[in-house]
Every structure is written in structure tokens, then in C-alpha cells.
Amino acid sequence: MTRLPLFILLTTILSIPVCAKYTHPPYRQYTLRDGLSQMQVISLFQDSRGYIWAGTKKGVNCFNGEKFIPFTTKDGLPNDFILQIAEDDNSNIWVATREGLACYDGVTFRSFPINDQVTISFTPTPDGKIWYIGSDRHRNQLFGYLENGKYIDKTKEAPKLNLSSQSTIGFDRKNDRLFISDIQKTYEIKNNSLQQLSPAIDSLEIIKNDSTVFFLRRIDHKFWKIYGFEQGKLTLFAENIP
């Protein structure tokens, strides 16, 4: 059983076209022949202009509606292994790689390398900062933000996080808050420091949206719950009960 707000159910029902026989929408498979730099796509992102960005192990690719335009270290990326893609308030495209962040202003990439192999999750905020969490190849914790081209390390001001490849960070515009989940615990950032949310709900993954974030808890491959942040606490938004 799936529990969703009534307006979502009505919107979903009204958006379904009435037809005598259901047919699957047409689809097209894109390959290296269409300009994709590699077939192993790690991250996907659609920017405010409608362009699709695909991050692979051999660079990031921008789909312009006809073909993919690849970008690699030759175009200014610090590394070709792409972890995540996002857009800031100035319509710049940000890319996280295994060796740091890069920013695309629509013409060129500007690289902000880190002198180590890292795994990070990041999110732009309206004040111009790029907050990130992650770890280096020695599993040392990384936490801080990039501002004016410089990395500001806040690791010493954070509690010991249980970071993994599933750790996530997201900015909630609706509530003007920054959240971090290390899967075991969820935190919000206040005054540039972490504070654990209460009541605590474990195994949460942050799902980003245009104006807010949601928190996904995967019980198993069939059972999941989605939480929202309302009135200073996490509240159940939707769940799927097989």
C-alpha cells in the first residue's frame, strides 16, 4: 500500500491519458556514436535550460538535444571520474570528480583540485558556497565548503561521521537549511557546524528537489519510506508497504 497526499494522487490520475490500449512511450538508446564518452553513466542531471548532463568514468557529457558533447581533463576537469553534477543560483554547472570540483560557466571549466583521491557529495547554496562531505583514499573524513576558489575545511568542527559512498548532502530552500546524512544519522548545519536532528531516524538518504529536500529510507528493495522536514522535525511524507 502506498500512502500519498490527495493532491499528488489526483495530479497523477489526471495526467494519465485516456486510451483504449496502453502503449509504451518510444525510447532511444544513446551510445558512443552519439558522442557519449563512456557507457558507464554514474550520475545524471538536468539543468535549468533543459540540457541533460551525464557523468561517466571518462568525463562529463552535455546532451544538447541531438548529441552529447564530452568534457574531460583536456577541457579543464581535475579528473575524468565524475561523481556528481549540480547547478548553482548563477546557472553555473558544478561537477565533483575523484580529484576535486570544477565549475562550468557555459564557456569553459574552472578546476578546483584536491591533492588526493576523494569521494564526495556536494550541494551549492544561495550564499555562493559549495558545501561538501566525503572521504579521501585513506578514509579520512572530509567536510567543509568551497568559497571564492578556496576550500574551507570544517572537519574539526564536525562530529565523527560514518561516511560512505551513500552519504549525501542537500540544501532545503523551503526551510533555508542544509542537511547531511551519513546513513546512520542525519544532521542540519547551523552556524557552520553540524547538529543532529531529533528525533533521529537511521538509514536516510537525501533526495534533492528544486525547492526542498526529502529523506528516503530503504527498508528493503520493496519497502521504503520518505520523510519531509516540517516544523523543525522529520515527518513521514509517503511510504510503500508491499
Side-chain angles (χ1 to χ4, degrees):
M1 177 179 179
T2 302
R3 301 173 185 170
L4 293 171
L6 180 59
F7 76 91
I8 292 182
L9 294 176
L10 290 176
T11 301
T12 303
I13 294 172
L14 292 175
S15 65
I16 299 175
V18 178
C19 58
K21 183 178 180 181
Y22 175 77
T23 58
H24 291 284
Y27 69 91
R28 175 182 173 184
Q29 181 180 13
Y30 291 92
T31 66
L32 302 178
R33 295 181 179 179
D34 301 291
L36 196 62
S37 59
Q38 200 213 25
M39 292 298 292
Q40 290 180 290
V41 176
I42 301 172
S43 58
L44 280 174
F45 178 78
Q46 184 175 18
D47 66 23
S48 59
R49 291 157 292 194
Y51 294 139
I52 303 296
W53 294 80
T56 73
K57 295 182 179 180
K58 290 187 177 180
V60 63
N61 306 258
C62 178
F63 183 66
N64 62 8
E66 297 180 357
K67 64 179 181 179
F68 285 94
I69 302 173
F71 298 96
T72 65
T73 52
K74 296 179 181 179
D75 301 291
L77 293 177
N79 185 271
D80 284 338
F81 198 112
I82 309 301
L83 300 168
Q84 186 188 339
I85 308 166
E87 183 177 9
D88 66 18
D89 284 16
N90 295 316
S91 300
N92 297 312
I93 301 300
W94 286 86
V95 176
T97 77
R98 279 285 177 86
E99 295 183 19
L101 297 169
C103 177
Y104 183 66
D105 60 8
V107 180
T108 58
F109 271 98
R110 184 183 178 191
S111 179
F112 305 96
I114 298 175
N115 297 323
D116 203 340
Q117 182 172 324
V118 298
T119 299
I120 59 174
S121 172
F122 76 96
T123 186
T125 52
D127 58 4
K129 296 177 181 177
I130 309 296
W131 284 89
Y132 64 88
I133 59 169
S135 58
D136 61 20
R137 58 181 172 177
H138 303 294
R139 297 186 179 182
N140 295 317
Q141 177 176 305
L142 300 174
F143 169 61
Y145 58 85
L146 178 71
E147 184 178 31
N148 298 324
K150 295 183 179 179
Y151 287 99
I152 309 299
D153 184 19
K154 308 294 290 186
T155 304
K156 294 181 180 180
E157 302 178 23
K160 185 64 176 178
L161 300 173
N162 183 32
L163 298 177
S164 69
S165 60
Q166 293 180 303
S167 301
T168 48
I169 183 171
F171 179 72
D172 187 343
R173 290 179 178 273
K174 179 181 177 181
N175 296 285
D176 191 27
R177 294 173 186 263
L178 191 63
F179 295 103
I180 285 178
S181 174
D182 68 357
I183 301 304
Q184 291 187 345
K185 298 178 181 179
T186 303
Y187 304 86
E188 60 176 320
I189 296 180
K190 286 185 177 180
N191 301 321
N192 293 344
S193 63
L194 292 183
Q195 297 182 18
Q196 186 177 347
L197 285 184
S198 182
I201 302 174
D202 62 353
S203 304
L204 292 180
E205 176 185 349
I206 296 175
I207 305 173
K208 302 175 186 178
N209 198 3
D210 292 337
S211 60
T212 187
V213 296
F214 294 98
F215 303 85
L216 171 66
R217 184 186 183 193
R218 303 176 190 270
I219 310 301
D220 53 39
H221 68 286
K222 293 183 179 180
F223 184 21
W224 49 260
K225 293 185 177 182
I226 294 179
Y227 296 86
F229 186 80
E230 297 291 342
Q231 299 180 349
K233 64 180 181 179
L234 295 174
T235 58
L236 183 64
F237 178 78
E239 63 180 332
N240 183 63
I241 304 176

